[in-house]
Structure formats: C-alpha cells, structure tokens
Amino acid sequence: MAARTAVVAGTASAVSGRVSRHQAEKAAAQETVPGTGASAQAPSGPPASSGLTDEALTNLERLGRLHEQGVLSDEEFAVQKDRILRG
C-alpha cells in the first residue's frame, strides 16, 4: 500500500512540477523588457495551458485508482502514466 501511495504521490509531484515550470516561464515572459522601462505584454487570446488537459488529469486520477485497487501492476501503471504525461 505504501508503494502505491508513493507512486500516486510521484504522479502528483510530476504534475505539480509541470505547472510550476509553466508558471515560472509565464512570469519570466512578463518581466520588464530591458532598456524600455515597460512591461512586456502577453498577446490576447485563450489562456496558456499547463501542458495537461482536464482529460489527462482525469485519466491520471482513474489510472491511480486502478493501480491502488490492484487492477494494474506497477509496470503497467508506469507505462500508462508515461503515455498520458507525454500526451
């Protein structure tokens, strides 16, 4: 059970890391442009994605539940998780 929890926590950490990286990149892009004294303006349009869709997050949650229930082995879980994260 502890190993399953660790794997699910690892998935959550990976997702969190991607979101943090995206936010850092977005913040860097909005920093002041050197020499102009003006802030860079982001183009208008739909908001940027964190790299994971709602569908991917739902699939990761479902995958984690199947793994916790013993339906998927550690190896099957890892393969499917990687497939989802790579899109």
Side-chain angles (χ1 to χ4, degrees), residues 19-79:
V19 170
S20 295
R21 236 183 347 268
H22 173 73
Q23 290 173 341
E25 290 170 359
K26 186 176 177 180
Q30 292 177 349
E31 287 183 5
T32 302
V33 177
T36 65
S39 294
Q41 295 293 319
S44 62
S49 167
S50 67
L52 289 176
T53 64
D54 288 338
E55 180 182 3
L57 291 173
T58 300
N59 288 339
L60 284 171
E61 290 170 351
R62 186 178 322 144
L63 187 67
R65 285 192 302 271
L66 289 172
H67 185 249
E68 285 177 2
Q69 295 168 358
V71 176
L72 296 174
S73 69
D74 291 344
E75 183 177 307
E76 292 168 324
F77 175 79
V79 168

